[in-house]
Amino acid sequence: MTKAGYSLQQHLITRTVLLMIIVFTVLSAGVWNYARRAADLSYNRLLNSASLSIIERISVQESQIDLDLPYAALSMLELAPDDKVYYEVIDHTGQHLTGYRKTPSPANYQPHSDPQFFTAKYKGEAVSWVVQSKQLIAPAANGWVVIKLGQTRNARNELFGEIFYSSLATLSGILLLTTLLVWLGVRRALQPLSIISENLKNRSPNDLRPLKTPAIREVVPLVNAINNYQQQLLHNLDTMKVFIADASHQIRSSLGGIQGQLDVTLHASDTEEIRSRLINIRQQHKKLTRLTNQLLTHALVTHRSDSIAPRSISLNALVEELLTETVRDQAHTQIDFSYSAKIDNIRIPGDKVSLKEAFKNLLENAVRYGPDTNQIDITLHPCDEHLVEIMIDDSGPGIPSHQRRQAMQRFSRLSSDVSGSGLGLAIVETVIQAHQGTLKLDRSPSGGLRVLIRLPGTSL
């Protein structure tokens, strides 16, 4: 669900910017680490070169260790004029030989031929150190001589800041440029939606042409859905127009027949003729009343199929309730009813009112078109786990196979011998289709009509 005033463009841009900020943060952390390592690597190389130059000048002269300090080596470190340089040389016995005293050493340091870099506080400042060792092999001096060379970190920090902030500025520029390109891209990508909305808004009510299919594949399903929906509306509108025209014709015909009978009756003088005319008027009135009721029922089931959410219904209870009412209404006749259900509780999703009207029309048709000694059988049983079947058989004349499709059309009457509106089976078909079911007309074992209905449902 989305909030009112939800903007797809704003949503896309905001999400993209948030993603870019996350990427920017990760890249900034990477740049920070790279700048720190680059600054350390550059100045560590200078320290290492200077320490190697110093340690190469250590020698043994007349039973003593001699150091000819190469000031050219220390001049390498003048590239950082604001930094201080400290050094200390320790002889093979572990005693201070020259330089600053008590300089820090790495933890658990053991002399070896590879340089070792570390950072430690000295004289209240953070100092980067390199430790180099040289092994002396002489009768007077046999062992490792260690030199420690350190430099404060001002130049390192300056180089780190220069690399980091210049890279950060570049990333920020890329972020802003990308944001601008995303904004332009999103506007361009959503432009077809604006074009569609403008076309729909500026269309006249009489313009029934489908929307043109755009070249953008992602928008094609939307346009196709709009066109399909438009076609469905037009189809429903055409169906409604045909229905209203047919209903108007049927009502006008009935009213015209009643009006003609009344006009003739007004001029009749014979009592028997007047009585006969009144009987005809009453029959025409009953026919009009049934037609009106069927029209209202058809409108009711059509409306409910579009607007009522389906609920779980006990099909057994629905049929038993309707059968009880029908048997009560036909108690004065010789019509026999039978009902059988293989499962006691068959449930289907649907609208109880619409289904009851549909089954009521089927029973009324079976009674109306059947003989005086009619036998009407109702059977319920599940076809499988997700489908149930309802069969209604009668002993009437049935419907020939070539007329069964016609029988389900609105206002279609196959015989003029029996009064009817021609809407009964049309109402049934509308209800069954709304419930995702199927309706089939067939021949019953007794020679009459079999109505076979299949609906999605379950048996408990």
Side-chain angles (χ1 to χ4, degrees):
M1 298 297 292
T2 57
K3 299 179 180 179
Y6 177 85
S7 171
L8 181 59
Q9 174 178 312
Q10 181 180 356
H11 179 75
L12 290 174
I13 294 176
T14 302
R15 291 295 179 89
T16 305
V17 170
L18 288 177
L19 178 61
M20 293 173 59
I21 290 175
I22 294 174
V23 174
F24 176 79
T25 304
V26 174
L27 291 178
S28 298
V31 167
W32 183 89
N33 183 62
Y34 167 76
R36 180 181 59 80
R37 292 178 58 218
D40 284 340
L41 181 62
S42 299
Y43 282 93
N44 282 346
R45 286 177 176 176
L46 291 176
L47 279 176
N48 188 45
S49 299
S51 66
L52 286 174
S53 298
I54 294 172
I55 205 167
E56 287 175 356
R57 295 299 185 94
I58 297 176
S59 61
V60 180
Q61 300 290 336
E62 298 179 357
S63 302
Q64 292 184 352
I65 298 176
D66 182 56
L67 172 61
D68 182 12
L69 188 64
Y71 291 101
L74 297 179
S75 66
M76 297 180 186
L77 305 177
E78 290 181 357
L79 295 174
D82 296 331
D83 282 322
K84 299 175 183 178
V85 179
Y86 305 99
Y87 74 95
E88 182 181 11
V89 180
I90 300 174
D91 63 14
H92 64 288
T93 63
Q95 299 299 318
H96 172 78
L97 181 63
T98 185
Y100 291 85
R101 294 182 177 274
K102 297 181 179 180
T103 56
S105 298
N108 302 321
Y109 177 73
Q110 296 295 330
H112 50 83
S113 58
D114 295 327
Q116 184 171 345
F117 300 93
F118 68 98
T119 300
K121 287 278 188 178
Y122 187 67
K123 295 184 179 296
E125 294 183 278
V127 180
S128 294
W129 296 89
V130 62
V131 181
Q132 288 276 12
S133 300
K134 179 179 180 180
Q135 189 174 19
L136 300 177
I137 303 175
N142 187 5
W144 290 92
V145 177
V146 178
I147 178 173
K148 293 183 284 185
L149 182 62
Q151 184 184 34
T152 54
R153 298 183 59 85
N154 294 330
R156 292 173 183 253
N157 293 337
E158 184 177 347
L159 178 60
F160 162 77
E162 182 180 348
I163 296 175
F164 176 69
Y165 290 114
S166 60
S167 301
L168 205 62
T170 303
L171 286 177
S172 300
I174 294 174
L175 176 65
L176 294 176
L177 179 61
T178 305
T179 302
L180 177 61
L181 293 177
V182 167
W183 179 72
L184 293 175
V186 169
R187 284 178 58 88
R188 176 66 177 173
L190 297 179
Q191 188 176 7
L193 299 180
S194 302
I195 295 175
I196 293 174
S197 62
E198 287 295 325
N199 288 340
L200 292 175
K201 183 172 65 175
N202 297 329
R203 277 195 168 201
S204 66
N206 297 325
D207 189 355
L208 304 180
R209 295 172 300 169
L211 295 175
K212 294 182 179 179
T213 303
I216 302 177
R217 288 181 297 177
E218 287 76 11
V219 185
V220 171
L222 174 62
V223 174
N224 290 339
I226 293 175
N227 289 334
N228 290 337
Y229 184 68
Q230 181 186 28
Q231 293 302 316
Q232 291 177 9
L233 289 178
L234 292 176
H235 175 73
N236 291 339
L237 183 61
D238 292 339
T239 303
M240 186 181 300
K241 289 179 179 178
V242 172
F243 178 76
I244 292 175
D246 291 343
S248 301
H249 173 72
Q250 296 289 333
I251 292 175
R252 286 196 186 99
S253 298
S254 299
L255 289 176
I258 294 175
Q259 182 65 44
Q261 293 287 345
L262 287 174
D263 292 340
V264 173
T265 304
L266 286 176
H267 295 87
S269 57
D270 183 67
T271 305
E272 288 299 326
E273 183 181 358
I274 293 175
R275 177 180 174 81
S276 175
R277 297 292 181 184
L278 289 176
I279 291 175
N280 289 334
I281 292 173
R282 185 173 182 275
Q283 293 297 329
Q284 291 289 337
H285 182 267
K286 289 175 63 177
K287 179 180 178 181
L288 178 60
T289 301
R290 174 171 173 77
L291 174 62
T292 305
N293 290 335
Q294 292 288 72
L295 288 173
L296 294 176
T297 300
H298 191 280
L300 173 68
V301 298
T302 303
H303 167 72
R304 292 183 71 90
S305 65
D306 295 333
S307 60
I308 303 299
R311 296 181 179 180
S312 180
I313 303 170
S314 173
L315 187 59
N316 303 70
L318 176 63
V319 174
E320 291 169 5
E321 176 185 347
L322 180 60
L323 188 59
T324 301
E325 296 176 1
T326 306
V327 170
R328 181 191 58 204
D329 295 339
Q330 303 298 326
H332 59 286
T333 67
Q334 297 181 1
I335 301 175
D336 293 330
F337 295 87
S338 71
Y339 166 71
S340 64
K342 296 183 179 180
I343 303 296
D344 293 335
N345 191 7
I346 299 176
R347 305 195 70 86
I348 61 173
D351 175 39
K352 183 177 180 180
V353 175
S354 298
L355 287 170
K356 188 175 181 179
E357 287 293 337
F359 295 146
K360 181 179 179 181
N361 274 277
L362 291 176
L363 292 179
E364 288 181 352
N365 283 348
V367 171
R368 178 175 293 103
Y369 296 102
D372 294 338
T373 57
N374 198 357
Q375 174 66 41
I376 300 175
D377 302 319
I378 304 173
T379 306
L380 304 183
H381 68 87
C383 297
D384 52 40
E385 295 180 356
H386 306 289
L387 197 66
V388 296
E389 190 174 74
I390 306 103
M391 285 191 302
I392 301 178
D393 295 315
D394 62 50
S395 302
I399 299 177
S401 58
H402 65 279
Q403 292 184 319
R404 289 169 186 167
R405 183 64 259 176
Q406 178 187 351
M408 289 188 285
Q409 297 176 359
R410 289 194 302 267
F411 305 110
S412 176
R413 295 179 58 199
L414 305 181
S415 174
S416 58
D417 297 337
V418 182
S419 62
S421 62
L423 283 172
L425 288 177
I427 292 173
V428 176
E429 186 177 36
T430 300
V431 174
I432 300 306
Q433 289 178 350
H435 286 76
Q436 308 301 318
T438 60
L439 172 65
K440 180 181 179 182
L441 302 182
D442 205 344
R443 183 177 179 85
S444 71
S446 59
L449 179 66
R450 165 172 286 183
V451 180
L452 182 63
I453 298 172
R454 289 183 177 176
L455 295 171
T458 57
S459 56
L460 302 178

